[in-house]
Amino acid sequence: MSAIAGIYHLDNEPVLAEHGRTMMRELEKYPADAIRTWNSGAVFLGCHVQHITPEAVYEQLPYYDADRQIVIAADAILDNRPELVRLLEVDYERRRKITDSELILLAYERWGQEAPQHLIGDFAFMLWDAKARQLFGARDFSGSRTLYYCRSGMRFAFCTVIGPLLSLPRMKAELNESWLAEYLAISGMIDVVDTAATVYKDIEQLPPAHSITVTSSGARLSRYCTLTPGKPLRLKSDGEYVEAFQSVFGEAVTSRLRTHRQVGAQLSGGLDSGSIAGFAAGALRKENKPLHTFSYVPSGDFHDYTSKRYMANERPFIEATVRHVGNIRDHYLDFEGRNSFLEVEDFLDLMEMPYKFFENSFWLKGIFEKARDEQVGVLLNGGRGNLSISWGSANEYYAILLKRLKWVKLFKELDQYSTKTGGSRYRRLPLIARTAFPFIDRMVPQADAYPFPPLIHPEFARRTGVFKKLQRFGIDESGWYGGIDAYEMRKRHFEELFHWNASNTLAAKLSLRYGLWKRDPTNDLRVIRFCLSVPEEQYVQGGMDRALIRRATEHVLPDQVRLNQKVRGVQGADWVHRMIPHWNAFREELHRLCADERMRQILNVPAIEKALHKLREGVRPEHAIDPDYKVLMRSLIVYRFISRLT
């Protein structure tokens, strides 16, 4: 578990020691339990090691195997160790203590470039095979750990973060306009569709689910994992699906508890994080070890403006989970005095690029800080849950029944659904019809439709050809997908790698800064493959959406949480409220942005000025859901980043 770095001279010229030291110095701002390097002529490898797992305490990274003439630099935690030690025929007396980097090296010796297909966990690694005279590396299927690289002349260099690469001779921090155009044109939370690109022109990243082979003739990338729905799982009863889910998910949670430090979890009032906490706390009880939970709550002076179907402060549901599960030490954090505006500079340092998740930035970082203070080594999170363990939109499923003319089943389900959520069973029919037949929205747009204002300058978009590129991925000039249902969105999410990059880049860099790892059992490869194989009727049944996870946690979560279909938590609803004391400074900086000639060539300044005009009417907490206010924050983040570059 570490930041890794390396240099390979393709012409076999020796790597200058100073170049290796330069890269390692750039990593000194991150905490480390050990710092080691390895150098042999044309190859330099370095590791900035953080000890997370019990085995890592004794791990030597870079690890050199003299017999095999292979040396590895690895940033990895593997979750299928029992399977690997068996397949690799590791001696029984070594199985408990063998390190993850050694297992990767042995996997490479056994399976060569197919080795990443056999690894489950969060990893990025590079190894030098002296016999084959090649560098070989890979990034896990969803990109949970970052890996950047650059090529300058005959020099190939790589690193976990971007800064050390920019510190090398002949490297420039030059803006990649194609990356920025995609970032601005996409209205959703993903950054770009080009998974190999970065905001810097001369620096690339290894995409998720890819390996890389570097020889004297250059670098070659290969995708080793594709997630598509396979053969449907057919079991005999609903109960068997529950048992199968509990087995797969329980293993995913338990395998992520491996640390010699404390175990923590981000806990909201919902199903995903609650399920993780329930399974984890039960497993930790056997080790006489508590689970630390960290929950964000709004500031004390915030008044919830959201409708009765939403809840900005989920504390009542969180406390119900804590009481029911037991073996939990709960922490409730309101991060008084912190806000999205004050965090911009620090997040640009952390991310090394513009970002879009500003509404939640202050508390996401704050939870890592608090977890570090509590000596946490592993911080559990359920970020992929909506598409895996808690999949099951009632509206989308009922739309399928409507299209297939299964009236009896549809109205029976609507009866049960209305009983559980309240209201008439017929009130959802217009929404179900719009979902089933998207042309209705095109013919009769909804009155409350509120499009995200375009952020990119039209000429900049034309010059870079960004919308033609996005069209190949189904993204139209609104900046997002048009006319596709949730099932197609889910399918694309797992097939198209760019959906993974933004959130996992944040997690990897927060983990590195605070010396602890974010681990997501809902993102376990075994869990995802299982969930993709489960028939849709297991996810919505008996008037319950997200039905599989609700049934599987019957003895894990309190019914107040498990069966809740009436209210939903809303995190970050107080981001505007928190910024009100700084609103004048925010507005003044946006006026400077609008007058900046560089920004007038990149951003849609008229849209920004229109949004700024709203500020004259005053600012209120409920503006947090207004797309115009979000455009202002996104614009400011880009402005700050460009200003730092120039």
PDB file of all heavy atoms in Angstrom, residues 397-426:
ATOM      1  N   TYR A 397     -39.061  -0.498 -13.346  1.00  0.00           N
ATOM      2  CA  TYR A 397     -39.583  -1.855 -13.474  1.00  0.00           C
ATOM      3  C   TYR A 397     -41.058  -1.834 -13.869  1.00  0.00           C
ATOM      4  O   TYR A 397     -41.498  -2.617 -14.724  1.00  0.00           O
ATOM      5  CB  TYR A 397     -39.397  -2.618 -12.160  1.00  0.00           C
ATOM      6  CG  TYR A 397     -39.873  -4.048 -12.219  1.00  0.00           C
ATOM      7  CD1 TYR A 397     -39.246  -4.981 -13.045  1.00  0.00           C
ATOM      8  CD2 TYR A 397     -40.953  -4.475 -11.446  1.00  0.00           C
ATOM      9  CE1 TYR A 397     -39.686  -6.297 -13.095  1.00  0.00           C
ATOM     10  CE2 TYR A 397     -41.395  -5.790 -11.478  1.00  0.00           C
ATOM     11  CZ  TYR A 397     -40.750  -6.700 -12.317  1.00  0.00           C
ATOM     12  OH  TYR A 397     -41.179  -8.003 -12.370  1.00  0.00           O
ATOM     13  N   TYR A 398     -41.802  -0.925 -13.282  1.00  0.00           N
ATOM     14  CA  TYR A 398     -43.221  -0.829 -13.633  1.00  0.00           C
ATOM     15  C   TYR A 398     -43.392  -0.354 -15.074  1.00  0.00           C
ATOM     16  O   TYR A 398     -44.365  -0.715 -15.753  1.00  0.00           O
ATOM     17  CB  TYR A 398     -43.940   0.114 -12.669  1.00  0.00           C
ATOM     18  CG  TYR A 398     -43.956  -0.378 -11.231  1.00  0.00           C
ATOM     19  CD1 TYR A 398     -44.184   0.495 -10.169  1.00  0.00           C
ATOM     20  CD2 TYR A 398     -43.734  -1.725 -10.931  1.00  0.00           C
ATOM     21  CE1 TYR A 398     -44.191   0.049  -8.855  1.00  0.00           C
ATOM     22  CE2 TYR A 398     -43.733  -2.179  -9.626  1.00  0.00           C
ATOM     23  CZ  TYR A 398     -43.954  -1.288  -8.591  1.00  0.00           C
ATOM     24  OH  TYR A 398     -43.950  -1.744  -7.295  1.00  0.00           O
ATOM     25  N   ALA A 399     -42.447   0.441 -15.560  1.00  0.00           N
ATOM     26  CA  ALA A 399     -42.499   0.860 -16.962  1.00  0.00           C
ATOM     27  C   ALA A 399     -42.326  -0.344 -17.889  1.00  0.00           C
ATOM     28  O   ALA A 399     -42.964  -0.425 -18.949  1.00  0.00           O
ATOM     29  CB  ALA A 399     -41.413   1.899 -17.236  1.00  0.00           C
ATOM     30  N   ILE A 400     -41.485  -1.292 -17.492  1.00  0.00           N
ATOM     31  CA  ILE A 400     -41.317  -2.521 -18.281  1.00  0.00           C
ATOM     32  C   ILE A 400     -42.628  -3.313 -18.303  1.00  0.00           C
ATOM     33  O   ILE A 400     -43.063  -3.805 -19.349  1.00  0.00           O
ATOM     34  CB  ILE A 400     -40.179  -3.382 -17.697  1.00  0.00           C
ATOM     35  CG1 ILE A 400     -38.827  -2.720 -17.961  1.00  0.00           C
ATOM     36  CG2 ILE A 400     -40.198  -4.788 -18.290  1.00  0.00           C
ATOM     37  CD1 ILE A 400     -37.659  -3.470 -17.372  1.00  0.00           C
ATOM     38  N   LEU A 401     -43.268  -3.423 -17.145  1.00  0.00           N
ATOM     39  CA  LEU A 401     -44.555  -4.140 -17.096  1.00  0.00           C
ATOM     40  C   LEU A 401     -45.590  -3.460 -17.982  1.00  0.00           C
ATOM     41  O   LEU A 401     -46.387  -4.137 -18.657  1.00  0.00           O
ATOM     42  CB  LEU A 401     -45.058  -4.209 -15.647  1.00  0.00           C
ATOM     43  CG  LEU A 401     -44.196  -4.988 -14.651  1.00  0.00           C
ATOM     44  CD1 LEU A 401     -44.850  -4.965 -13.262  1.00  0.00           C
ATOM     45  CD2 LEU A 401     -43.979  -6.429 -15.105  1.00  0.00           C
ATOM     46  N   LEU A 402     -45.586  -2.127 -17.989  1.00  0.00           N
ATOM     47  CA  LEU A 402     -46.532  -1.382 -18.823  1.00  0.00           C
ATOM     48  C   LEU A 402     -46.272  -1.643 -20.301  1.00  0.00           C
ATOM     49  O   LEU A 402     -47.205  -1.918 -21.070  1.00  0.00           O
ATOM     50  CB  LEU A 402     -46.423   0.116 -18.518  1.00  0.00           C
ATOM     51  CG  LEU A 402     -47.302   1.053 -19.355  1.00  0.00           C
ATOM     52  CD1 LEU A 402     -48.788   0.728 -19.144  1.00  0.00           C
ATOM     53  CD2 LEU A 402     -47.025   2.511 -19.001  1.00  0.00           C
ATOM     54  N   LYS A 403     -45.004  -1.597 -20.708  1.00  0.00           N
ATOM     55  CA  LYS A 403     -44.673  -1.819 -22.119  1.00  0.00           C
ATOM     56  C   LYS A 403     -44.995  -3.244 -22.559  1.00  0.00           C
ATOM     57  O   LYS A 403     -45.357  -3.474 -23.714  1.00  0.00           O
ATOM     58  CB  LYS A 403     -43.187  -1.523 -22.363  1.00  0.00           C
ATOM     59  CG  LYS A 403     -42.863  -0.039 -22.371  1.00  0.00           C
ATOM     60  CD  LYS A 403     -41.473   0.246 -22.914  1.00  0.00           C
ATOM     61  CE  LYS A 403     -40.388  -0.189 -21.956  1.00  0.00           C
ATOM     62  NZ  LYS A 403     -39.034   0.243 -22.436  1.00  0.00           N
ATOM     63  N   ARG A 404     -44.878  -4.182 -21.617  1.00  0.00           N
ATOM     64  CA  ARG A 404     -45.163  -5.581 -21.951  1.00  0.00           C
ATOM     65  C   ARG A 404     -46.639  -5.933 -21.757  1.00  0.00           C
ATOM     66  O   ARG A 404     -47.024  -7.105 -21.906  1.00  0.00           O
ATOM     67  CB  ARG A 404     -44.285  -6.498 -21.103  1.00  0.00           C
ATOM     68  CG  ARG A 404     -42.801  -6.372 -21.431  1.00  0.00           C
ATOM     69  CD  ARG A 404     -41.939  -7.229 -20.502  1.00  0.00           C
ATOM     70  NE  ARG A 404     -40.529  -7.091 -20.822  1.00  0.00           N
ATOM     71  CZ  ARG A 404     -39.538  -7.622 -20.091  1.00  0.00           C
ATOM     72  NH1 ARG A 404     -39.827  -8.327 -18.997  1.00  0.00           N
ATOM     73  NH2 ARG A 404     -38.278  -7.457 -20.448  1.00  0.00           N
ATOM     74  N   LEU A 405     -47.438  -4.916 -21.406  1.00  0.00           N
ATOM     75  CA  LEU A 405     -48.885  -5.071 -21.241  1.00  0.00           C
ATOM     76  C   LEU A 405     -49.248  -6.075 -20.150  1.00  0.00           C
ATOM     77  O   LEU A 405     -50.279  -6.759 -20.222  1.00  0.00           O
ATOM     78  CB  LEU A 405     -49.551  -5.470 -22.570  1.00  0.00           C
ATOM     79  CG  LEU A 405     -49.287  -4.534 -23.762  1.00  0.00           C
ATOM     80  CD1 LEU A 405     -49.976  -5.052 -25.003  1.00  0.00           C
ATOM     81  CD2 LEU A 405     -49.722  -3.114 -23.437  1.00  0.00           C
ATOM     82  N   LYS A 406     -48.418  -6.154 -19.113  1.00  0.00           N
ATOM     83  CA  LYS A 406     -48.703  -7.051 -17.989  1.00  0.00           C
ATOM     84  C   LYS A 406     -49.504  -6.278 -16.942  1.00  0.00           C
ATOM     85  O   LYS A 406     -49.029  -5.939 -15.857  1.00  0.00           O
ATOM     86  CB  LYS A 406     -47.400  -7.596 -17.412  1.00  0.00           C
ATOM     87  CG  LYS A 406     -46.658  -8.506 -18.385  1.00  0.00           C
ATOM     88  CD  LYS A 406     -45.477  -9.206 -17.731  1.00  0.00           C
ATOM     89  CE  LYS A 406     -44.832 -10.202 -18.685  1.00  0.00           C
ATOM     90  NZ  LYS A 406     -43.713 -10.952 -18.048  1.00  0.00           N
ATOM     91  N   TRP A 407     -50.762  -6.027 -17.296  1.00  0.00           N
ATOM     92  CA  TRP A 407     -51.615  -5.144 -16.507  1.00  0.00           C
ATOM     93  C   TRP A 407     -51.901  -5.701 -15.116  1.00  0.00           C
ATOM     94  O   TRP A 407     -51.859  -4.965 -14.123  1.00  0.00           O
ATOM     95  CB  TRP A 407     -52.938  -4.909 -17.237  1.00  0.00           C
ATOM     96  CG  TRP A 407     -52.787  -4.322 -18.599  1.00  0.00           C
ATOM     97  CD1 TRP A 407     -52.908  -4.957 -19.796  1.00  0.00           C
ATOM     98  CD2 TRP A 407     -52.448  -2.971 -18.901  1.00  0.00           C
ATOM     99  NE1 TRP A 407     -52.677  -4.098 -20.834  1.00  0.00           N
ATOM    100  CE2 TRP A 407     -52.398  -2.852 -20.315  1.00  0.00           C
ATOM    101  CE3 TRP A 407     -52.195  -1.834 -18.137  1.00  0.00           C
ATOM    102  CZ2 TRP A 407     -52.108  -1.676 -20.965  1.00  0.00           C
ATOM    103  CZ3 TRP A 407     -51.905  -0.640 -18.778  1.00  0.00           C
ATOM    104  CH2 TRP A 407     -51.854  -0.568 -20.167  1.00  0.00           C
ATOM    105  N   VAL A 408     -52.197  -6.972 -15.026  1.00  0.00           N
ATOM    106  CA  VAL A 408     -52.571  -7.552 -13.725  1.00  0.00           C
ATOM    107  C   VAL A 408     -51.414  -7.416 -12.741  1.00  0.00           C
ATOM    108  O   VAL A 408     -51.592  -6.953 -11.597  1.00  0.00           O
ATOM    109  CB  VAL A 408     -52.986  -9.029 -13.881  1.00  0.00           C
ATOM    110  CG1 VAL A 408     -53.225  -9.656 -12.508  1.00  0.00           C
ATOM    111  CG2 VAL A 408     -54.241  -9.143 -14.749  1.00  0.00           C
ATOM    112  N   LYS A 409     -50.236  -7.809 -13.177  1.00  0.00           N
ATOM    113  CA  LYS A 409     -49.069  -7.726 -12.303  1.00  0.00           C
ATOM    114  C   LYS A 409     -48.750  -6.277 -11.957  1.00  0.00           C
ATOM    115  O   LYS A 409     -48.397  -5.953 -10.811  1.00  0.00           O
ATOM    116  CB  LYS A 409     -47.863  -8.388 -12.960  1.00  0.00           C
ATOM    117  CG  LYS A 409     -46.656  -8.500 -12.038  1.00  0.00           C
ATOM    118  CD  LYS A 409     -45.554  -9.352 -12.661  1.00  0.00           C
ATOM    119  CE  LYS A 409     -44.411  -9.528 -11.672  1.00  0.00           C
ATOM    120  NZ  LYS A 409     -43.330 -10.383 -12.232  1.00  0.00           N
ATOM    121  N   LEU A 410     -48.872  -5.371 -12.956  1.00  0.00           N
ATOM    122  CA  LEU A 410     -48.578  -3.961 -12.727  1.00  0.00           C
ATOM    123  C   LEU A 410     -49.493  -3.380 -11.654  1.00  0.00           C
ATOM    124  O   LEU A 410     -49.019  -2.737 -10.698  1.00  0.00           O
ATOM    125  CB  LEU A 410     -48.727  -3.170 -14.030  1.00  0.00           C
ATOM    126  CG  LEU A 410     -48.611  -1.642 -13.901  1.00  0.00           C
ATOM    127  CD1 LEU A 410     -47.245  -1.234 -13.351  1.00  0.00           C
ATOM    128  CD2 LEU A 410     -48.868  -0.967 -15.247  1.00  0.00           C
ATOM    129  N   PHE A 411     -50.809  -3.604 -11.772  1.00  0.00           N
ATOM    130  CA  PHE A 411     -51.730  -2.982 -10.818  1.00  0.00           C
ATOM    131  C   PHE A 411     -51.647  -3.638  -9.443  1.00  0.00           C
ATOM    132  O   PHE A 411     -51.854  -2.979  -8.424  1.00  0.00           O
ATOM    133  CB  PHE A 411     -53.161  -3.012 -11.370  1.00  0.00           C
ATOM    134  CG  PHE A 411     -53.393  -1.955 -12.412  1.00  0.00           C
ATOM    135  CD1 PHE A 411     -53.352  -2.261 -13.764  1.00  0.00           C
ATOM    136  CD2 PHE A 411     -53.587  -0.627 -12.045  1.00  0.00           C
ATOM    137  CE1 PHE A 411     -53.536  -1.280 -14.724  1.00  0.00           C
ATOM    138  CE2 PHE A 411     -53.771   0.359 -13.003  1.00  0.00           C
ATOM    139  CZ  PHE A 411     -53.738   0.038 -14.342  1.00  0.00           C
ATOM    140  N   LYS A 412     -51.303  -4.908  -9.401  1.00  0.00           N
ATOM    141  CA  LYS A 412     -51.065  -5.545  -8.111  1.00  0.00           C
ATOM    142  C   LYS A 412     -49.856  -4.913  -7.430  1.00  0.00           C
ATOM    143  O   LYS A 412     -49.875  -4.603  -6.227  1.00  0.00           O
ATOM    144  CB  LYS A 412     -50.849  -7.048  -8.294  1.00  0.00           C
ATOM    145  CG  LYS A 412     -50.631  -7.799  -6.983  1.00  0.00           C
ATOM    146  CD  LYS A 412     -50.426  -9.293  -7.232  1.00  0.00           C
ATOM    147  CE  LYS A 412     -50.167 -10.015  -5.915  1.00  0.00           C
ATOM    148  NZ  LYS A 412     -49.933 -11.479  -6.123  1.00  0.00           N
ATOM    149  N   GLU A 413     -48.783  -4.699  -8.201  1.00  0.00           N
ATOM    150  CA  GLU A 413     -47.579  -4.063  -7.661  1.00  0.00           C
ATOM    151  C   GLU A 413     -47.875  -2.629  -7.211  1.00  0.00           C
ATOM    152  O   GLU A 413     -47.427  -2.187  -6.153  1.00  0.00           O
ATOM    153  CB  GLU A 413     -46.461  -4.054  -8.713  1.00  0.00           C
ATOM    154  CG  GLU A 413     -45.693  -5.356  -8.822  1.00  0.00           C
ATOM    155  CD  GLU A 413     -44.715  -5.550  -7.676  1.00  0.00           C
ATOM    156  OE1 GLU A 413     -44.332  -4.551  -7.027  1.00  0.00           O
ATOM    157  OE2 GLU A 413     -44.338  -6.704  -7.404  1.00  0.00           O
ATOM    158  N   LEU A 414     -48.631  -1.884  -8.020  1.00  0.00           N
ATOM    159  CA  LEU A 414     -48.948  -0.498  -7.670  1.00  0.00           C
ATOM    160  C   LEU A 414     -49.781  -0.434  -6.390  1.00  0.00           C
ATOM    161  O   LEU A 414     -49.614   0.492  -5.580  1.00  0.00           O
ATOM    162  CB  LEU A 414     -49.684   0.185  -8.823  1.00  0.00           C
ATOM    163  CG  LEU A 414     -48.822   0.558 -10.029  1.00  0.00           C
ATOM    164  CD1 LEU A 414     -49.692   1.127 -11.155  1.00  0.00           C
ATOM    165  CD2 LEU A 414     -47.757   1.578  -9.637  1.00  0.00           C
ATOM    166  N   ASP A 415     -50.666  -1.391  -6.220  1.00  0.00           N
ATOM    167  CA  ASP A 415     -51.444  -1.474  -4.977  1.00  0.00           C
ATOM    168  C   ASP A 415     -50.516  -1.614  -3.766  1.00  0.00           C
ATOM    169  O   ASP A 415     -50.644  -0.891  -2.769  1.00  0.00           O
ATOM    170  CB  ASP A 415     -52.384  -2.688  -5.037  1.00  0.00           C
ATOM    171  CG  ASP A 415     -53.840  -2.261  -5.072  1.00  0.00           C
ATOM    172  OD1 ASP A 415     -54.113  -1.071  -4.824  1.00  0.00           O
ATOM    173  OD2 ASP A 415     -54.698  -3.119  -5.342  1.00  0.00           O
ATOM    174  N   GLN A 416     -49.607  -2.545  -3.865  1.00  0.00           N
ATOM    175  CA  GLN A 416     -48.680  -2.807  -2.760  1.00  0.00           C
ATOM    176  C   GLN A 416     -47.716  -1.639  -2.553  1.00  0.00           C
ATOM    177  O   GLN A 416     -47.382  -1.295  -1.418  1.00  0.00           O
ATOM    178  CB  GLN A 416     -47.905  -4.102  -3.028  1.00  0.00           C
ATOM    179  CG  GLN A 416     -48.786  -5.345  -3.039  1.00  0.00           C
ATOM    180  CD  GLN A 416     -48.050  -6.567  -3.544  1.00  0.00           C
ATOM    181  OE1 GLN A 416     -47.386  -6.540  -4.575  1.00  0.00           O
ATOM    182  NE2 GLN A 416     -48.161  -7.674  -2.818  1.00  0.00           N
ATOM    183  N   TYR A 417     -47.305  -1.046  -3.656  1.00  0.00           N
ATOM    184  CA  TYR A 417     -46.364   0.083  -3.567  1.00  0.00           C
ATOM    185  C   TYR A 417     -47.017   1.282  -2.885  1.00  0.00           C
ATOM    186  O   TYR A 417     -46.414   1.948  -2.034  1.00  0.00           O
ATOM    187  CB  TYR A 417     -45.874   0.465  -4.963  1.00  0.00           C
ATOM    188  CG  TYR A 417     -44.746   1.475  -4.965  1.00  0.00           C
ATOM    189  CD1 TYR A 417     -43.433   1.071  -4.755  1.00  0.00           C
ATOM    190  CD2 TYR A 417     -44.986   2.831  -5.184  1.00  0.00           C
ATOM    191  CE1 TYR A 417     -42.392   1.981  -4.756  1.00  0.00           C
ATOM    192  CE2 TYR A 417     -43.956   3.745  -5.186  1.00  0.00           C
ATOM    193  CZ  TYR A 417     -42.664   3.319  -4.975  1.00  0.00           C
ATOM    194  OH  TYR A 417     -41.639   4.231  -4.974  1.00  0.00           O
ATOM    195  N   SER A 418     -48.269   1.568  -3.246  1.00  0.00           N
ATOM    196  CA  SER A 418     -48.962   2.711  -2.644  1.00  0.00           C
ATOM    197  C   SER A 418     -49.192   2.488  -1.153  1.00  0.00           C
ATOM    198  O   SER A 418     -49.159   3.425  -0.356  1.00  0.00           O
ATOM    199  CB  SER A 418     -50.293   2.962  -3.361  1.00  0.00           C
ATOM    200  OG  SER A 418     -51.179   1.871  -3.181  1.00  0.00           O
ATOM    201  N   THR A 419     -49.407   1.229  -0.747  1.00  0.00           N
ATOM    202  CA  THR A 419     -49.565   0.918   0.678  1.00  0.00           C
ATOM    203  C   THR A 419     -48.287   1.236   1.447  1.00  0.00           C
ATOM    204  O   THR A 419     -48.319   1.763   2.568  1.00  0.00           O
ATOM    205  CB  THR A 419     -49.924  -0.570   0.869  1.00  0.00           C
ATOM    206  OG1 THR A 419     -51.162  -0.836   0.205  1.00  0.00           O
ATOM    207  CG2 THR A 419     -50.054  -0.921   2.340  1.00  0.00           C
ATOM    208  N   LYS A 420     -47.149   0.935   0.833  1.00  0.00           N
ATOM    209  CA  LYS A 420     -45.862   1.125   1.508  1.00  0.00           C
ATOM    210  C   LYS A 420     -45.382   2.565   1.481  1.00  0.00           C
ATOM    211  O   LYS A 420     -44.654   3.012   2.368  1.00  0.00           O
ATOM    212  CB  LYS A 420     -44.806   0.209   0.885  1.00  0.00           C
ATOM    213  CG  LYS A 420     -45.013  -1.272   1.222  1.00  0.00           C
ATOM    214  CD  LYS A 420     -43.994  -2.137   0.500  1.00  0.00           C
ATOM    215  CE  LYS A 420     -43.997  -3.559   1.060  1.00  0.00           C
ATOM    216  NZ  LYS A 420     -45.293  -4.218   0.914  1.00  0.00           N
ATOM    217  N   THR A 421     -45.762   3.310   0.448  1.00  0.00           N
ATOM    218  CA  THR A 421     -45.244   4.682   0.308  1.00  0.00           C
ATOM    219  C   THR A 421     -46.294   5.749   0.579  1.00  0.00           C
ATOM    220  O   THR A 421     -45.948   6.917   0.781  1.00  0.00           O
ATOM    221  CB  THR A 421     -44.673   4.897  -1.104  1.00  0.00           C
ATOM    222  OG1 THR A 421     -45.720   4.727  -2.074  1.00  0.00           O
ATOM    223  CG2 THR A 421     -43.557   3.907  -1.392  1.00  0.00           C
ATOM    224  N   GLY A 422     -47.562   5.384   0.568  1.00  0.00           N
ATOM    225  CA  GLY A 422     -48.630   6.346   0.787  1.00  0.00           C
ATOM    226  C   GLY A 422     -49.155   6.913  -0.518  1.00  0.00           C
ATOM    227  O   GLY A 422     -48.427   7.000  -1.514  1.00  0.00           O
ATOM    228  N   GLY A 423     -50.414   7.287  -0.538  1.00  0.00           N
ATOM    229  CA  GLY A 423     -51.006   7.892  -1.726  1.00  0.00           C
ATOM    230  C   GLY A 423     -51.708   6.883  -2.611  1.00  0.00           C
ATOM    231  O   GLY A 423     -51.645   5.668  -2.396  1.00  0.00           O
ATOM    232  N   SER A 424     -52.379   7.396  -3.631  1.00  0.00           N
ATOM    233  CA  SER A 424     -53.137   6.557  -4.549  1.00  0.00           C
ATOM    234  C   SER A 424     -52.198   5.745  -5.436  1.00  0.00           C
ATOM    235  O   SER A 424     -51.130   6.199  -5.824  1.00  0.00           O
ATOM    236  CB  SER A 424     -54.036   7.437  -5.430  1.00  0.00           C
ATOM    237  OG  SER A 424     -54.531   6.705  -6.526  1.00  0.00           O
ATOM    238  N   ARG A 425     -52.654   4.526  -5.804  1.00  0.00           N
ATOM    239  CA  ARG A 425     -51.828   3.695  -6.674  1.00  0.00           C
ATOM    240  C   ARG A 425     -51.733   4.280  -8.082  1.00  0.00           C
ATOM    241  O   ARG A 425     -50.821   3.941  -8.831  1.00  0.00           O
ATOM    242  CB  ARG A 425     -52.393   2.281  -6.736  1.00  0.00           C
ATOM    243  CG  ARG A 425     -53.715   2.147  -7.472  1.00  0.00           C
ATOM    244  CD  ARG A 425     -54.148   0.699  -7.537  1.00  0.00           C
ATOM    245  NE  ARG A 425     -55.419   0.548  -8.237  1.00  0.00           N
ATOM    246  CZ  ARG A 425     -55.986  -0.631  -8.481  1.00  0.00           C
ATOM    247  NH1 ARG A 425     -55.402  -1.736  -8.073  1.00  0.00           N
ATOM    248  NH2 ARG A 425     -57.133  -0.711  -9.120  1.00  0.00           N
ATOM    249  N   TYR A 426     -52.673   5.152  -8.442  1.00  0.00           N
ATOM    250  CA  TYR A 426     -52.689   5.687  -9.804  1.00  0.00           C
ATOM    251  C   TYR A 426     -51.819   6.937  -9.974  1.00  0.00           C
ATOM    252  O   TYR A 426     -51.567   7.362 -11.093  1.00  0.00           O
ATOM    253  CB  TYR A 426     -54.131   6.014 -10.226  1.00  0.00           C
ATOM    254  CG  TYR A 426     -55.036   4.814 -10.214  1.00  0.00           C
ATOM    255  CD1 TYR A 426     -56.053   4.708  -9.272  1.00  0.00           C
ATOM    256  CD2 TYR A 426     -54.865   3.784 -11.131  1.00  0.00           C
ATOM    257  CE1 TYR A 426     -56.888   3.591  -9.248  1.00  0.00           C
ATOM    258  CE2 TYR A 426     -55.696   2.662 -11.112  1.00  0.00           C
ATOM    259  CZ  TYR A 426     -56.692   2.573 -10.171  1.00  0.00           C
ATOM    260  OH  TYR A 426     -57.507   1.466 -10.143  1.00  0.00           O
TER     261      TYR A 426
END
